[in-house]
Amino acid sequence: MRTGVIGLGSMGMGAALSALRAGLEVTGVDPRAAARDSFAEAGGGAVARAAELPEGTQALVVLVVNAAQTEAALFGPDGALPRLAPGAVVISSATMAPEDARRIAERLGAAGMLALDAPVSGGAAKAATGEMTVMASGSAAAFDAAAPVLAAIATKVWRLGEAPGIGATVKVVHQLLAGVHIAVAAEAMALGIRAGADPQQLYDVVTSAAGNSWMFENRMARVLAADDAPRSAVDIFVKDLGLVTQMAKSLDFPVPLAAQAQQLFTAAHAQGHGQKDDGFVIRVWQALTGIKLPGD
């Protein structure tokens, strides 16, 4: 199956490699030469622009940052649309507002393409092993067309309905939880450090007890290792929690915890940590209280 993957970042690269291992004919698209070279070394095709995808591409995964980048990748001057086969399926996996997902699906449908509103979760590690979770909505025909790609990149595919926007809605709600969990994990670790607890012992206790969360276990391990290389950056949650508050506002629905968490990620961005791993939102508490983090 002739497949394209637009965006060879931490998750897109994993998805592209997983599809390649599954025997699909994969071309990755990324403006960064290093990303293209890495994918080419693994045996895939690599181009700098979506307009350079092979003609007749049958399935396309778009794993970029947001709706604007998705629309540019598909419909812009260097977009992929002219390179797609008639009736090709587009798997739109950036986190975006539901109304943006609906608009993109409508434009694809008008062009004769199938569309899946299909955001993903699992991080770089799950993407690399083909074990992502996909929360998708779209027609039965779109799911059928996308099946070989979804089987390659995910172990759990949620079929959430036929209407575009449902997948995006579920992902936005998921990001509310993810962002708040990361922020509160950082707050708890920072409080323990300020109170004199040994950070490693605090981590060991929490991860063996009822207060643990996946985010605490995953992100605070990186804080303990002083490893702020971005698997998911602070700026991602500035954006995604903004989508949460935007959706909530449109529904007259209060989200005080999400709003506070967004302010904390925004503060970390303002301090210059926007491209650091999102667990390093803990630097906000460091700046406020003067605590010393492991590795400092």
Side-chain angles (χ1 to χ4, degrees):
M1 186 177 197
R2 189 170 293 169
T3 304
V5 178
I6 299 179
L8 297 176
S10 58
M11 295 186 73
M13 179 66 81
L17 291 171
S18 295
L20 195 63
R21 286 195 302 271
L24 302 179
E25 180 187 336
V26 185
T27 300
V29 181
D30 201 288
R32 299 167 300 153
R36 297 196 304 273
D37 290 346
S38 179
F39 188 58
E41 288 170 6
V47 296
R49 303 179 305 135
E52 300 172 33
L53 280 165
E55 188 173 356
T57 293
Q58 299 163 288
L60 182 65
V61 181
V62 187
L63 255 170
V64 292
V65 172
N66 54 29
Q69 289 188 6
T70 300
E71 291 191 275
L74 292 171
F75 310 117
D78 290 324
L81 193 61
R83 310 302 291 174
L84 301 182
V89 63
V90 175
I91 303 167
S92 175
S93 295
T95 302
M96 65 182 70
E99 58 267 27
D100 292 328
R102 287 190 286 269
R103 184 179 65 253
I104 289 168
E106 288 169 2
R107 291 187 69 178
L108 288 168
M113 304 300 166
L114 298 169
L116 277 186
D117 166 25
V120 297
S121 183
K126 293 294 186 181
T129 56
E131 296 178 297
M132 291 193 296
T133 294
V134 179
M135 45 206 90
S137 59
S139 68
F143 275 104
D144 289 345
V149 178
L150 295 176
I153 68 175
T155 51
K156 184 64 179 179
V157 179
W158 290 97
R159 298 181 68 143
L160 301 172
E162 293 199 358
I166 302 174
T169 296
V170 172
K171 179 60 186 291
V172 169
V173 173
H174 174 275
Q175 293 305 85
L176 183 160
L177 289 166
V180 169
H181 285 180
I182 294 168
V184 77
E187 180 174 284
M189 179 62 77
L191 175 62
I193 292 172
R194 178 63 182 268
D198 177 83
Q200 184 64 58
Q201 289 184 329
L202 174 62
Y203 177 87
D204 292 342
V205 169
V206 171
T207 55
S208 69
N212 190 33
S213 70
W214 190 92
M215 286 299 190
F216 182 94
E217 188 165 348
N218 183 267
R219 297 321 202 255
M220 292 306 103
R222 299 176 193 170
V223 169
L224 291 176
D227 179 8
D228 64 4
R231 287 73 162 182
S232 173
V234 162
D235 281 348
I236 293 294
F237 278 96
V238 175
K239 172 186 75 78
D240 287 1
L241 288 169
L243 293 174
V244 173
T245 57
Q246 174 187 327
M247 186 173 81
K249 182 178 179 181
S250 73
L251 298 168
D252 294 324
F253 190 92
V255 284
L257 298 181
Q260 183 60 57
Q262 187 195 21
Q263 291 301 303
L264 293 166
F265 284 103
T266 300
H269 169 88
Q271 292 170 0
H273 306 302
Q275 292 303 306
K276 303 299 185 182
D277 191 82
D278 52 31
F280 283 80
V281 67
I282 197 171
R283 295 284 188 194
V284 174
W285 285 274
Q286 183 180 40
L288 291 171
T289 66
I291 59 173
K292 183 177 181 181
L293 296 180
D296 285 350

